[in-house]
């Protein structure tokens, strides 16, 4: 059952509720068609490639500002990809360079997709239709106030090109891209530098903080060109999954932080705000300084007496210490208190929300739960008639299996998996797990042979932690010194044993403590490490609900 059922149900429920008006709208049917909006002109990449001297940089930047309303827009009549058919009409402007002095034009670019109902085409070319509007799904948007979806497809902290909406990545079905446009949103897919190779050569331009700097530059570009683009730059919704989810959280956390300013100046980013309205965070790989401890707190640290076992237990202790020091209500052992009980309830709600989503009756729900846990020792129907998980570690051990095969602390003599993103010259992997560094020091008396590892961890952290801090969203949130997004959506999957739900829970709790207007958290049944929505319209409806003035 699991994800297959979810996707079948999702396919039945998906409907297009679109009605466009304005001089740029029209009707179409049949297969997708693409029309060039006039004669092809100079592209942003061609303009920026001419940058050689300071004077030429200025000239190129000015030329870049004229690209958006030009004849480079293309009109698409209908959409067909991966079995998803739609008669939606939209304009596209692809491979737009978003900074005046790019280091890597293959990745420092974005694609912009605009519902046709917000645009018009006449003898002067393609531009915003001031009378353009969208009405559907119980909302009304104008060409000036529609939300702008800002989607990154970064994975493994690698370099990323902007997604073409006819392709998918990390669970983003191609049809879900089209549905965003169908429902009146402007869609921007953005590329960024990251770890990677060009042939046999290592591309060192993508080390931390390059990825987040590029994404911020893209936000600034959209804000600087707000008058030339449909949609509102005050309603930017950033979306990402996996490490891209971490970047989405960081965008939401660090709006207008001055620490990035020197890096933004280096690539010629626009002088504008880089804050966002909302942040959607799918299965995030982030908060790497404490993630190992969170992983083992969630898994329960069921390990044998050994160096690795003791290290794991101490890492949990250090993680819980961090939570307690930050004022969260959690017991010293980590498994009682409001913080933990709230997390346990989320695991129970994995099954309750799926039962509700599928419309199961009482007998069907009971059969569903017993099929997963026949003896009811960790998952059962309680007296209130709801599914309940007895403890998070029991869920992890019984549902995901023996955590020994996923042992994070078992690779203590290797390197942090994403450490290479912080090296300054080459992609040597470096440690920056502060909880493991502290845990090593905790066990030195019992395991003196661990001294060499303790010294290695501490040395790397001393040398690289300042760099790693540029990718720690919770530090920006807790500082209270940034323009934090006020709307947050966290999602991860029940099958995702490789990403720590404990870290997205930590970010969710940190956002709430910082006073965000609203935050929504969920773990959905049947999904693994990917974009997590039972139905793409669930995301659409959540975004629509953020602005009551559109209803």
């Amino acid at each position: 059952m699991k994800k297959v059922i979810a996707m079948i149900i999702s396919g039945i429920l998906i409907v297009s509720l679109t009605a466009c008006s304005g001089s740029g709208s029209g009707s179409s049917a049949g297969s997708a068609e693409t029309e060039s909006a006039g004669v092809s002109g100079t592209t942003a990449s061609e303009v920026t490639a001419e940058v050689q001297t300071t004077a030429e940089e200025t000239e190129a930047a000015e030329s870049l500002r004229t690209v958006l309303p030009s004849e480079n827009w293309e009109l698409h009549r209908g959409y067909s990809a991966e079995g998803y058919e739609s008669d939606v009409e939209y304009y596209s402007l692809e491979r737009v360079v978003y900074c005046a002095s790019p280091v890597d034009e293959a990745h420092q670019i974005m694609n912009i997709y605009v519902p046709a109902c917000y645009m018009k085409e006449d003898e002067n070319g393609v531009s915003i239709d001031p009378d353009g509007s969208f009405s559907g799904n119980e909302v009304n948007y104008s060409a000036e106030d529609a939300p702008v979806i800002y989607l990154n497809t970064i994975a493994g902290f690698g370099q990323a090109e902007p997604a073409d909406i006819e392709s998918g990545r990390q669970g983003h079905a191609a049809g879900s891209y089209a549905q965003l446009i169908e429902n009146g949103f402007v869609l921007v897919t953005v590329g960024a530098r990251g770890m990677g190779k060009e042939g046999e050569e290592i591309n060192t331009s993508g080390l931390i903080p390059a990825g987040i700097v590029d994404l911020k530059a893209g936000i600034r570009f959209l804000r600087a060109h707000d008058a030339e683009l449909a949609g509102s730059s005050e309603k930017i919704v950033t979306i990402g999954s996996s490490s891209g989810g971490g970047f989405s959280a960081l965008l939401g956390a660090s709006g207008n932080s001055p620490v990035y300013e020197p890096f933004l100046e280096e690539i010629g980013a626009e002088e504008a705000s880089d804050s966002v309205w909302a942040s959607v965070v799918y299965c995030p790989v982030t908060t790497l300084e404490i993630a190992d401890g969170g992983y083992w707190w969630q898994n329960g640290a069921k390990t044998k007496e050994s160096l690795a076992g003791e290290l794991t237990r101490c890492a949990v202790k250090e993680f819980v210490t961090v939570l307690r020091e930050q004022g969260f209500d959690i017991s010293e052992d980590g498994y009682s208190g409001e913080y933990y009980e709230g997390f346990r309830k989320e695991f129970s709600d994995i099954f309750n929300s799926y039962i509700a989503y599928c419309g199961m009756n009482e007998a069907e729900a009971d059969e569903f739960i017993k099929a997963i846990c026949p003896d009811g020792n960790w998952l059962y129907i309680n007296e209130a008639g709801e599914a309940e998980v007895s403890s998070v570690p029991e869920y992890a051990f019984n549902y995901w299996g023996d955590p020994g095969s996923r042992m994070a602390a078992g690779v203590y003599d290797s390197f942090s998996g994403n450490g290479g993103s912080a090296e300054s010259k080459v992609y040597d992997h470096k440690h920056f797990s502060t909880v493991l560094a502290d845990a090593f020091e905790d066990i030195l008396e019992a395991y003196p042979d661990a001294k060499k590892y303790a010294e290695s961890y501490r040395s790397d952290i001393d040398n690289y932690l300042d760099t790693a801090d540029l990718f720690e969203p919770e530090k920006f949130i807790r500082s209270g010194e940034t323009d934090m997004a006020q709307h947050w959506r966290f999602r991860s999957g029940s099958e995702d044993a490789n990403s720590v739900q404990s870290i997205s829970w930590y970010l969710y709790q940190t956002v709430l403590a910082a006073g965000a207007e609203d935050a929504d958290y969920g773990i959905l049944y049947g999904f693994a490490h990917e974009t997590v929505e039972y139905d793409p319209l669930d995301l659409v409806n959540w975004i629509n609900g953020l602005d009551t003035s559109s209803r």
Side-chain angles (χ1 to χ4, degrees), residues 119-343:
M119 306 290 280
K120 66 177 182 178
E121 184 175 353
D122 54 29
E123 65 275 8
N124 297 316
V126 177
S127 61
I128 298 173
D129 182 352
D131 297 320
S133 64
F134 166 87
S135 179
N137 206 12
E138 300 183 358
V139 296
N140 299 286
Y141 293 125
S142 72
E144 294 183 353
D145 68 7
V148 176
I149 309 301
Y150 190 70
L151 176 69
N152 82 73
T153 54
I154 297 170
F157 298 92
Q159 57 194 16
E161 294 187 14
D164 183 297
I165 68 167
E166 295 183 0
S167 64
R169 211 285 298 172
Q170 290 269 330
H172 280 288
S176 68
Y177 293 137
Q179 284 182 284
L180 294 171
I181 301 171
E182 282 179 337
N183 283 278
F185 301 151
V186 174
L187 173 61
V188 176
T189 64
V190 60
R193 291 169 293 165
M195 295 191 293
K197 286 187 173 182
E198 302 296 337
E200 295 300 315
E201 296 296 321
I202 294 173
N203 181 359
T204 59
S205 73
L207 298 165
I208 287 177
I212 184 61
V213 168
D214 287 351
L215 295 177
K216 283 177 171 289
I219 296 290
R220 290 186 173 200
F221 181 88
L222 294 175
R223 284 184 172 274
H225 295 272
D226 184 59
E228 303 160 61
L229 283 169
S232 171
S233 64
E234 295 297 326
K235 293 183 183 178
I236 295 176
V237 181
T238 175
I239 299 178
S241 58
S242 192
S243 61
F247 279 110
S248 185
L250 190 54
L251 281 171
S254 65
N256 299 322
S257 171
V259 301
Y260 297 103
E261 199 62 40
F263 305 102
L264 289 161
E265 289 179 1
E266 284 181 5
I267 62 171
E270 298 276 7
E271 293 184 6
S273 170
D274 53 57
S275 64
V276 298
W277 187 49
S279 180
V280 179
V281 181
Y282 294 122
C283 56
V285 177
T286 187
T287 317
L288 301 179
E289 294 176 24
I290 63 173
D292 285 329
Y295 181 92
W296 281 102
W297 171 68
Q298 178 171 307
N299 279 276
K302 291 187 176 184
T303 58
K304 298 178 181 178
E305 292 298 325
S306 62
L307 187 156
E310 187 62 23
L311 180 66
T312 294
R313 285 185 283 274
C314 287
V316 171
K317 182 188 75 173
E318 295 293 345
F319 175 74
V320 172
T321 296
V322 169
L323 298 180
R324 288 168 62 86
E325 288 176 347
Q326 292 180 10
F328 292 114
D329 180 15
I330 188 169
S331 61
E332 193 169 342
D333 71 355
Y335 297 106
S336 63
E338 184 178 342
Y339 185 94
Y340 169 74
E341 288 300 330
F343 192 46

